[in-house]
Structure formats: C-alpha cells, structure tokens
Amino acid sequence: MTTSQVRRAFKYRFYPTDTQAAELSRTFGCVRKVYNLALAARTEAWARQERVNYNQSSAMLTAWKQTEELAYLNEVSSVPLQQALRHLQVAFTNFFGKRAKYPRFKSRKKSRKSAEYTASAFRFRDGELRLAKMRESLRIVWSRPLPDDASPSTVTVSQDAAGRWFVSLLCDDPSITHLPTTDAAIGIDAGLDHLLSFSTGEKIANPRHERRDRVALAKAQRRLAKKAKDSANRTKARHKVAKIHARIADRRRDTLHKITTRLVRENQTLVIEDLTVRNMVKNRKLARAISDAAWSQVRSMLEYKAAWYGREVIAVDRWFPSSKLCSSCGTLADEMPLSVRTWTCECGTTHDRDVNAAKNLLAAGRAVTACGAGVRPQRSSPGGQSAMKQETSRREP
Ligand SMILES: [Zn+2]
C-alpha cells in the first residue's frame, strides 16, 4: 500500500433549475436505457457461451445512436452513457469473480438515478461546476469545504427516491495520510438488536429514533400497498415511503461515519464477518434488510478508511461458526437460535452472543495475519478453522 494521494468523494445537495432538472432526468433515462441494452446484448451472448467486452459494447452504443428509434441518445452528453457501460463492465467482472450476482436490469421506478461525468464532460473553476450540455453552473450547497485547489476527476449527479438532488465530486485529499502504526486489533460483529458489537465487549446501539422511523416506514408501506396502481395517491404514498427511507438512511450514515472513523483510528487490524454470500439472499424482513444494508455500508466505510489511514480490514468467511464457538475454551455449542442472546458454555463462561462472536472473529483474523500478508487460506468445509479468507482493503467505487 502506498502513501500517495487519497481520492475521496465529496457529496453535496444541489438545486437544479427546471432546465437542468429536465436535462438530468433525460440523461438518467438514457443511462438506464444504454445500461439495459448492453446488459441484454451481453445476456444473449452469455446464453451462447460468449462474452462481450467493454470495447464491443462501446461499438454497439455507437451503432444504436445511428438508428432512428435510439437517435435521442445523441441529445445527452455521451460521457455518462460510456460510464454506464464501464459500470456494467465492473458488474460483470464482479460476477465472473464470484463477488456478485448476475447484473440486473435497471427499472425506471426502483433503480438509483445517477449519471457520471468524467473530466471532459464538466468544468470546475472558482467553485463553479458546469456539466456538459448545460449553460448554467449547478446551484450547489457547499455544506463542507473541498480540499484546497481541489480538481475533481469525476462528478456524479444523482437523485434519490425522495426527489433530492446530489452531486458527488471525486477529488484528491492531501489532508489524509497514514496514521502511526498501533498494536490494537478489534473484532466487529453485526447484530439486529444492536448495530454493532465489538470484541472489547462494547456494543453500539441502533441510532436514536430508528425504531420509531421503522414503525412509520412499515405503516407508510402498508398504505402504499393499498393505493390503486398509477393513481395520484399512489405517487404521493410512494414519495412518503421514500422520504422515511431517506431519513433512516441519513441518520444511519451519520452514525456509521462516526463509528467507523473511530474504529479505524484506534485499531491497526479490524476483523469483520464476510456477509457477501448472505447478502445475496433476498430478505423480506424489514429489520434484517436495513441491518444488512447498514452492514455493507460499515464494511465499505471501514475498507476505504483503512486504506486512507494505513490500516487493515480482514473479512472472515461467514461459515466460520462465530456465534456457537466459546471464545474462552473453543468448545462448539450445538444449537444457537437467534433468540438466544446470552449463553453459558460447559467451561462456565457466560457469553453475550454478539460479543462472543466478535471475539471469535478477532481470533480468526489474527490466525489469518499470522499466516503472513497476502496468504489466502482456501475455504474448506463449512465451519472449519481454515474457512476464512483475507481481503485487501479497497476503495468504495
Ligand atoms: Zn467454554
């Protein structure tokens, strides 16, 4: 790992003019269209056991733009469309690397609306940001300062389901440097009744108001379900749901930023559970879904902050029986339903379920580092001590 410049995203709200909003909405639509067309083409090729690469899909885009029915793709900046193809390429790379499910089509209502502009498609000067195909600069609320002499390499515009507009600027941040090395290490476990539990015995409660927000969310969702399709009331109800979602997500993010920064500053090694596989299972339970979403956020924050400050994040495979294993004597308990919050081992030690799991994660992570950096023990049978893998820290995409 180098101590060279750290690039980080700075995200702000902005308020587009009507013209800008229309231009951006049109761009989002074209981005989605191109992504879906390219995904369809790749899927057809995949069925024939062929692969389409980025360059080939880029050539397809050129051809689509020349057809009458897709000529409207020429009306928006071509850069976000190219970036959509790059994102699809990344999605396929992750799929082939078994890190993600097969890419899914973007839906008009459910998918995140965003468009990514690289340097050729925007101009940033004297705190003014102007995007391609736009005459006026964006009205941005500069809620925190950009680094001095910041020169963004990428600008991402998005609109959330609650209708709020955001712009994210990817910049070098010279203020971030590696911290002095420490011996401290910590195991971190994700929970339901608590947000996080640590091997130190500390537990982090869910953010305040969250229980109330969740009740409100469930109520709003029930109301939405009863509205007639395509009615004005349905749109209103959907907006209400989105607003509560956004509130929960905002509070979560604030809490998680504070915790993850503290954890990374205080510890050299951070051991977490790799929930990638479990996250691929669709969850119907609201609490679980929100907790899983928070967990993947925690992981990504820990990983990029670890890279910033010269720390290490180790993800231990989920097959490791972290809850059932006594962290004092190593005895494996038989059954451990989720309702069991504390348990006593044969050896007489009484465990808090989540803290015990965090302690086991830490021990497993230590075993990985003892193997030496860069060593990746292979997954053997579920539950085996070798069922862990080390992952190097990486930036948030
Ligand atoms: Zn024991």
Side-chain angles (χ1 to χ4, degrees):
M1 196 175 298
T2 63
T3 48
S4 64
Q5 290 282 3
V6 165
R7 276 206 298 181
R8 88 190 264 208
F10 292 81
K11 193 173 179 181
Y12 305 93
R13 267 191 92 163
F14 75 100
Y15 296 85
T17 63
D18 291 346
T19 319
Q20 287 172 337
E23 174 64 31
L24 290 170
S25 296
R26 197 158 48 231
T27 306
F28 293 158
C30 291
V31 164
R32 192 179 60 241
K33 182 74 187 174
V34 165
Y35 187 93
N36 286 344
L37 283 171
L39 175 52
R42 281 183 175 235
T43 303
E44 280 170 31
W46 179 239
R48 296 191 304 269
Q49 313 214 322
E50 286 168 25
R51 289 190 190 187
V52 174
N53 63 25
Y54 168 76
N55 287 337
Q56 288 164 311
S57 59
S58 185
M60 287 176 190
L61 173 58
T62 309
W64 295 330
K65 282 175 159 184
Q66 284 157 1
T67 66
E68 201 175 325
E69 52 177 321
L70 294 170
Y72 65 89
L73 294 176
N74 292 298
E75 289 168 22
V76 302
S77 167
S78 62
V79 172
L81 308 185
Q82 289 291 346
Q83 292 305 99
L85 296 180
R86 290 207 171 84
H87 294 158
L88 184 62
Q89 178 64 41
V90 171
F92 269 97
T93 306
N94 287 336
F95 168 68
F96 291 130
K98 297 192 175 12
R99 289 182 298 277
K101 279 195 298 191
Y102 193 83
R104 284 196 299 189
F105 289 97
K106 290 189 188 293
S107 86
R108 192 169 64 85
K109 279 177 184 162
K110 286 180 187 154
S111 298
R112 182 168 176 265
K113 295 174 183 164
S114 73
E116 198 176 280
Y117 296 78
T118 50
S120 63
F122 67 84
R123 206 175 75 172
F124 181 73
R125 192 179 290 172
D126 304 327
E128 299 268 308
L129 177 68
R130 202 161 60 79
L131 300 176
K133 304 259 180 194
M134 282 184 201
R135 288 226 304 276
E136 293 168 279
S137 53
L138 298 182
R139 288 179 297 184
I140 299 173
V141 182
W142 297 102
S143 45
R144 58 178 173 142
L146 276 176
D148 289 341
D149 305 322
S151 153
S153 57
T154 308
V155 166
T156 306
V157 176
S158 60
Q159 189 185 26
D160 73 6
R164 300 177 302 177
W165 296 85
F166 296 95
V167 59
S168 171
L169 297 88
L170 193 61
C171 304
D172 284 339
D173 188 349
S175 69
I176 293 174
T177 49
H178 285 192
L179 295 169
T181 312
T182 151
D183 290 333
I186 195 166
I188 304 158
D189 187 62
L192 275 186
D193 51 348
H194 276 79
L195 186 57
L196 298 169
S197 304
F198 304 146
S199 53
T200 53
E202 186 186 345
K203 294 179 131 194
I204 303 288
N206 281 307
R208 274 179 65 212
H209 312 298
E210 184 161 298
R211 189 172 292 271
R212 217 169 57 207
D213 282 343
R214 280 189 197 183
V215 171
L217 179 59
K219 206 165 126 191
Q221 282 178 329
R222 280 198 301 274
R223 228 179 256 148
L224 170 63
K226 285 183 197 147
K227 302 290 182 226
K229 226 181 163 189
D230 295 325
S231 65
N233 278 337
R234 190 180 174 86
T235 306
K236 235 189 266 173
R238 187 183 308 115
H239 197 72
K240 173 96 184 165
V241 168
K243 264 176 80 171
I244 302 172
H245 257 303
R247 190 164 68 214
I248 294 177
D250 287 353
R251 285 180 175 152
R252 269 279 164 141
R253 196 177 314 108
D254 286 349
T255 310
L256 297 183
H257 267 305
K258 285 190 191 111
I259 300 166
T260 52
T261 297
R262 194 197 103 197
L263 287 171
V264 169
R265 295 192 80 93
E266 289 174 355
N267 297 282
Q268 189 64 36
T269 306
L270 304 104
V271 188
I272 59 175
E273 191 180 2
D274 184 357
L275 296 180
T276 325
V277 181
R278 202 188 71 191
N279 278 343
M280 291 182 181
V281 182
K282 189 99 179 151
N283 255 301
R284 283 190 192 84
K285 275 233 172 78
L286 185 61
R288 177 50 89 179
I290 293 176
S291 139
D292 283 356
W295 180 243
S296 60
Q297 248 182 322
V298 166
R299 178 172 181 168
S300 114
M301 286 179 184
L302 286 176
E303 283 174 341
Y304 72 70
K305 289 177 186 179
W308 289 353
Y309 296 118
R311 306 307 203 202
E312 185 181 30
V313 175
I314 295 170
V316 175
D317 199 285
R318 72 170 195 126
W319 297 113
F320 183 74
S322 52
S323 297
K324 293 198 290 184
L325 190 69
C326 170
S327 57
S328 318
C329 73
T331 302
L332 195 60
D334 297 335
E335 284 293 317
M336 195 62 62
L338 263 177
S339 56
V340 176
R341 305 316 306 172
T342 61
W343 57 285
T344 303
C345 174
E346 301 168 357
C347 72
T349 316
T350 298
H351 293 293
D352 174 286
R353 178 201 180 93
D354 298 330
V355 171
N356 178 60
K359 285 181 178 170
N360 282 324
L361 285 173
L362 176 58
R366 284 215 161 104
V368 172
T369 39
C371 296
V375 173
R376 287 169 183 251
Q378 292 301 305
R379 178 190 296 184
S380 58
S381 59
Q385 274 283 352
S386 62
M388 59 187 76
K389 66 172 181 252
Q390 183 177 13
E391 298 203 352
T392 50
S393 320
R394 65 183 154 78
R395 276 203 76 262
E396 195 179 22

